[in-house]
Amino acid sequence: RAVEVVAGAFALTHDLPFALDADETASRVKWSKKTNALTVSFRREKVANVQEAVDLDPDNLYVCADPEGKKGRVLRAARDVEEGEIVMVCEPIAAAVHDDAALGACAECFASSPLFSCARCETRYCDARCAARDIAHEGECALVARLGGASKIRGARMFLRLLYLRLAKPAAFEKTDVWRASPKVSGGGPEDASVLGSVKFLQSVLPKDALPADLDYFVRAARENLHGVVRKDGTLVGSAAYAAASLANHACDPNCVASFLTGDDDDDALSRMWEGTRGREKHKKHRKPLFVMRATRPLKKREEVTLGYVELYASRGERRARLKKTKGFLCLCARCLDPPESDRFLTGWLCRCSVATAGCPGVATHDAFEANEKRGASIDEEEEDVLRCVSCGAETVFLNGGASRASALKAETVWRGVIERARDAARRGDHSLSFALASEALRETKTVLHDGHVVRHELRLALAAAAERLEKWTDVADACAATTKHMARVLSPRHPGLLDQRATLSRAIEKGGVLSQTS
């Protein structure tokens, strides 16, 4: 499969068994002095035959085998794509509201403030129409009622819904054939334990003929291919199984971003999103949460399309830990293999020089997740070493001396515990306590951690959410001004989280919030 160029004349060394597009690029070029010939090699893409099965728009995307053999299948752009264009919209095979959101979200369309309940199990819906559309509910209703509520099914609602579709709607379930699961974890571990727990629960509540032969693989494949459905305000309300979306590989610096349309969005929301793009509008009327994928930067034809599977405003260790736990793989993307300088601040501890004079831009980096993974039962000599600034070499500031790796790990664990307590207080409706916890921790970390540290970022998100409920608009504005500044250094301008923080900032200012001089 080569073209030989000799003395300026083009000649085929042998017939090509496939056609080359006008813009085809060569995978390898070699000049031979001995034969005075230039050989240009082309690698033929093995296009996967899944377009119709998962309802991909062939004008936008196609699937092929990874030529390097590292990723299995690769989702690519079928044409040049402009920044901001929508490249995929897909409906879920099944969707399930999370247990902690079950009382505040419709089980069919995920809209907030549901007013209608199932007569047997009290699953919430917007109205009787949503209840009638939720076909998969038949697979869980009797079980939820028998066990005494959704909280008793241990987060297995999605598995129950998918297994019901397997029996009642096999054509819909067959779309899961495009899923792939990671190998079983060798030697056991938390990933194995999670899968084993779900397998045992399903075996205990369902008849044997309702279960697939390889239940272990089914649970792993479902868990690793689900997408968390997030409302525009950043609230995670549930999970959904999307066939087409599962074909996009992960990258910690992706070229596309996902968002969701739920029942809180009107029927014209998607039409407004499509405006100015070359996509199709066949999903204009929607009920179940729609998955919408948009390019965050220009894409070239045949360029791989990637998404972020986890929170991207996070350290490499945290991203990798979450991906390993939820998706079963170690991320080797460009951002993980060669972290940019902007990532330093995500795990940065301030040095004495920066605190005293504000003249040193450096920080001492300490990734608590990587440190926790490496450390054993005892603290080794490296962990006793004081963290030092990567720019000036000065010690970090912590209590009466510099922070060692061990003390930094312990302190971050405590602060992350405060974040969880603040979130839990908010879930209970105690926004005053949530605000107080986040405010105190932010004061405590101000002269210790870099302002863009993930811990301070999460504390600010908790504070802003609580302050908004308490109508403390100046606190909301200050928190959102800082989060947007730091998120813009790491994330795409079209990242939903960044857009939400900017919208909240604007709303706070409109309500009378005044930014402080330090914001």
Side-chain angles (χ1 to χ4, degrees):
R1 296 173 175 79
V3 178
E4 185 177 312
V5 184
V6 182
F10 292 81
L12 285 175
T13 56
H14 53 271
D15 291 337
L16 293 174
F18 58 91
L20 294 176
D21 290 342
D23 59 349
E24 187 75 68
T25 57
S27 61
R28 182 171 176 267
V29 178
K30 184 179 180 181
W31 172 259
S32 172
K33 291 183 178 180
K34 185 176 182 179
T35 61
N36 197 32
L38 177 70
T39 302
V40 184
S41 301
F42 296 89
R43 180 183 286 119
R44 183 181 185 183
E45 286 185 328
K46 296 181 179 179
V47 178
N49 187 25
V50 298
Q51 303 285 130
E52 296 182 2
V54 298
D55 201 24
L56 274 182
D57 186 343
D59 293 334
N60 290 336
L61 303 167
Y62 68 97
V63 184
C64 66
D66 179 17
E68 298 180 0
K70 297 178 180 179
K71 299 180 180 180
R73 296 167 306 190
V74 175
L75 188 65
R76 296 190 186 277
R79 57 175 175 81
D80 289 346
V81 176
E82 296 179 5
E83 178 181 347
E85 277 197 65
I86 293 175
V87 294
M88 179 194 296
V89 177
C90 58
E91 300 172 352
I93 303 168
V97 173
H98 287 172
D99 293 345
D100 58 1
L103 298 179
C106 172
E108 166 68 3
C109 70
F110 286 28
S112 55
S113 304
L115 302 175
F116 184 85
S117 296
C118 171
R120 296 180 63 189
C121 70
E122 298 187 351
T123 295
R124 300 293 183 89
Y125 295 97
C126 293
D127 49 37
R129 290 179 301 171
C130 269
R133 289 190 182 98
D134 189 14
I135 299 173
H137 180 57
E138 290 292 329
E140 66 186 5
C141 184
L143 182 60
V144 171
R146 177 161 59 88
L147 294 178
S151 61
K152 302 295 184 180
I153 61 176
R154 306 178 188 178
R157 185 186 291 266
M158 175 59 77
F159 299 130
L160 294 172
R161 285 172 166 253
L162 284 170
L163 289 173
Y164 176 78
L165 290 175
R166 175 174 173 266
L167 298 176
K169 299 286 183 180
F173 183 82
E174 283 176 2
K175 291 186 177 182
T176 64
D177 290 345
V178 302
W179 288 354
R180 297 291 182 269
S182 62
K184 293 182 180 180
V185 179
S186 59
E191 296 83 11
D192 262 350
S194 175
V195 172
L196 183 61
S198 297
V199 168
K200 287 185 175 180
F201 175 75
L202 293 171
Q203 290 174 332
S204 69
V205 298
L206 295 177
K208 189 175 181 179
D209 59 359
L211 301 173
D214 193 348
L215 182 59
D216 178 274
Y217 181 85
F218 165 78
V219 170
R220 282 187 292 116
R223 188 188 65 167
E224 294 174 11
N225 286 277
L226 294 180
H227 285 78
V229 178
V230 181
R231 292 196 185 118
K232 290 180 179 178
D233 63 359
T235 304
L236 177 65
V237 286
S239 298
Y242 299 96
S246 66
L247 296 170
N249 288 318
H250 167 81
C252 292
D253 183 23
N255 53 30
C256 287
V257 66
S259 59
F260 301 87
L261 290 179
T262 68
D264 287 331
D265 301 295
D266 60 59
D267 286 335
D268 292 328
L270 187 58
S271 294
R272 291 194 298 270
M273 294 178 71
W274 278 118
E275 187 176 355
T277 74
R278 285 178 281 182
R280 295 185 290 186
E281 296 187 30
K282 62 181 178 180
H283 299 281
K284 181 177 178 180
K285 299 290 184 181
H286 66 280
R287 268 297 173 181
K288 292 184 183 296
L290 287 181
F291 177 96
V292 181
M293 186 162 67
R294 186 190 298 270
T296 59
R297 54 178 178 261
L299 304 179
K300 293 293 186 183
K301 183 178 180 179
R302 298 190 184 86
E303 183 176 350
E304 182 179 3
V305 173
T306 55
L307 282 173
Y309 289 175
V310 295
E311 173 57 57
L312 301 177
Y313 195 94
S315 69
R316 178 176 65 180
E318 184 172 2
R319 298 193 309 270
R320 282 181 160 181
R322 289 180 178 176
L323 287 167
K324 187 66 176 176
K325 180 178 180 180
T326 60
K327 304 299 181 181
F329 68 88
L330 175 68
C331 185
L332 298 175
C333 73
R335 184 182 173 194
C336 283
L337 293 178
D338 187 19
E341 187 173 341
S342 59
D343 276 12
R344 286 183 183 176
F345 304 110
L346 299 174
T347 58
W349 283 63
L350 296 176
C351 68
R352 295 185 183 279
C353 182
S354 63
V355 172
T357 66
C360 176
V363 290
T365 58
H366 174 261
D367 194 325
F369 284 83
E370 290 186 347
N372 196 39
E373 183 178 346
K374 292 176 182 177
R375 76 193 301 257
S378 60
I379 299 173
D380 58 25
E381 293 182 0
E382 182 184 5
E383 287 181 304
E384 294 286 9
D385 291 341
V386 173
L387 296 174
R388 294 185 179 276
C389 177
V390 296
S391 295
C392 69
E395 291 184 353
T396 53
V397 179
F398 187 64
L399 299 178
N400 296 323
S404 68
R405 298 182 187 279
S407 61
L409 177 60
K410 183 177 180 180
E412 288 190 35
T413 301
V414 171
W415 291 324
R416 289 180 185 276
V418 174
I419 294 169
E420 289 306 314
R421 287 167 56 199
R423 290 171 176 168
D424 184 58
R427 283 192 289 268
R428 298 195 313 269
D430 193 345
H431 302 293
S432 295
L433 176 58
S434 179
F435 180 85
L437 288 169
S439 297
E440 179 59 30
L442 281 168
R443 283 192 292 269
E444 184 179 343
T445 58
K446 184 175 182 179
T447 58
V448 179
L449 300 179
H450 185 274
D451 198 49
H453 195 288
V454 173
V455 165
R456 288 184 59 79
H457 172 74
E458 295 293 340
L459 286 168
R460 279 200 180 97
L461 292 179
L463 183 143
E468 187 170 13
R469 299 298 293 268
L470 299 170
E471 298 187 0
K472 295 177 177 285
W473 299 114
T474 293
D475 292 296
V476 175
D478 278 342
C480 290
T483 55
T484 53
K485 178 179 71 175
H486 296 303
M487 291 174 78
R489 300 171 67 176
V490 177
L491 306 176
S492 158
R494 296 183 181 275
H495 188 278
L498 177 55
L499 294 176
D500 176 66
Q501 285 297 293
R502 284 175 172 160
T504 305
L505 173 59
S506 298
R507 188 163 59 250
I509 294 174
E510 290 175 359
K511 295 284 188 177
V514 179
L515 292 174
S516 65
Q517 292 182 351
T518 58
S519 297

